[in-house]
Amino acid sequence: DSGVTQTPKHLITATGQRVTLRCSPRSGDLSVYWYQQSLDQGLQFLIQYYNGEERAKGNILERFSAQQFPDLHSELNLSSLELGDSALYFCASSVGEGKGTEAFFGQGTRLTVV
Amino acid sequence: GDSVTQMEGPVTLSEEAFLTINCTYTATGYPSLFWYVQYPGEGLQLLLKATKADDKGSNKGFEATYRKETTSFHLEKGSVQVSDSAVYFCALTDSSYKLIFGSGTRLLVRP
């Protein structure tokens, strides 16, 4: 158990809908990262927050947004969903920032858009 | 931008065989390098890491050496077990500290 909790584990929704994925980082970790894992794109970095502030942005669509709350949990909001958004979404957390900092991953949320 | 290239799988080996999974990287500056493992139905777990040139990371019999001259971080294990069957990801942290992953290599170890 990595200590990172993601809910829900599975989500099935229709095209055009909006969903929210939730992540609780390990106790004491200030950084949260979101990744998308799909068969054709591999593991893609979406966005990072550190202590409530957005730190880095990757290949995140405009239809997607995220935030980190004062209690450090994070939510990833996906709207106007398309079939191609079906993927495994991972959250990871780390104590701080730094090149050698280890990131701990949750078990992921599997999103299926039908 | 920074990137990681790793050998395509799947890699199929018999138990107790020697494992090498190649990984090379392109980066500005001096990244840290990682190997993560993903077992079926689970998230990624850090297997080992190296933060500077010539460092060797090791864990659970796996090893990888940070080679700056060849920009490589190949994963090796002397004797694989069935329980090592998983997907292995090579990764680096770039200047903004986010992890950039390779495409993953699936390892299947047969009894």
Side-chain angles (χ1 to χ4, degrees):
Chain A
D1 182 3
S2 67
V4 179
T5 304
Q6 288 187 248
T7 56
K9 284 190 170 45
H10 301 277
L11 200 47
I12 302 175
T13 190
T15 54
Q17 294 299 304
R18 172 189 168 94
V19 297
T20 297
L21 313 183
R22 183 187 168 98
C23 170
S24 295
R26 289 189 326 152
S27 176
D29 283 1
L30 298 177
S31 273
V32 170
Y33 310 78
W34 285 97
Y35 286 83
Q36 179 193 58
Q37 185 179 34
S38 60
L39 283 175
D40 55 343
Q41 296 286 323
L43 264 164
Q44 297 287 316
F45 168 75
L46 296 178
I47 197 163
Q48 179 208 353
Y49 283 84
Y50 177 81
N51 204 20
E53 291 187 8
E54 183 183 303
R55 269 295 206 257
K57 228 170 182 177
N59 300 322
I60 187 165
L61 300 171
E62 284 191 14
R63 300 183 285 109
F64 296 1
S65 65
Q67 58 184 125
Q68 186 179 29
F69 294 87
D71 67 352
L72 301 177
H73 91 272
S74 178
E75 292 181 357
L76 178 67
N77 299 297
L78 315 176
S79 61
S80 303
L81 285 167
E82 302 175 359
L83 295 178
D85 297 327
S86 296
L88 198 49
Y89 291 85
F90 284 110
C91 168
S93 73
S94 63
V95 168
E97 297 179 304
K99 284 196 306 183
T101 301
E102 176 179 354
F104 293 83
F105 282 75
Q107 293 203 323
T109 293
R110 183 170 295 282
L111 173 66
T112 303
V113 182
V114 297
Chain B
D2 296 355
S3 65
V4 175
T5 302
Q6 56 183 110
M7 61 190 287
E8 288 196 21
V11 173
T12 304
L13 296 173
S14 298
E15 208 166 20
E16 298 183 5
F18 184 86
L19 168 70
T20 300
I21 300 178
N22 290 336
C23 169
T24 57
Y25 67 90
T26 302
T28 53
Y30 303 96
S32 290
L33 302 175
F34 304 79
W35 278 100
Y36 278 81
V37 58
Q38 184 178 26
Y39 297 101
E42 297 185 14
L44 283 77
Q45 302 171 27
L46 179 67
L47 183 58
L48 54 85
K49 71 176 185 182
T51 58
K52 60 183 189 300
D54 299 325
D55 265 3
K56 178 186 279 189
S58 61
N59 186 27
K60 300 181 182 179
F62 290 90
E63 291 183 341
T65 302
Y66 189 143
R67 301 283 188 206
K68 185 167 173 290
E69 62 277 11
T70 54
T71 62
S72 65
F73 192 56
H74 304 321
L75 182 68
E76 296 182 336
K77 187 176 186 185
S79 176
V80 293
Q81 305 300 312
V82 172
S83 57
D84 294 326
S85 298
V87 181
Y88 293 80
F89 291 91
C90 185
L92 62 80
T93 44
D94 68 2
S95 56
S96 66
Y97 309 136
K98 65 179 184 286
L99 281 163
I100 296 174
F101 288 91
S103 55
T105 302
R106 182 175 300 278
L107 170 65
L108 176 61
V109 180
R110 294 183 171 158

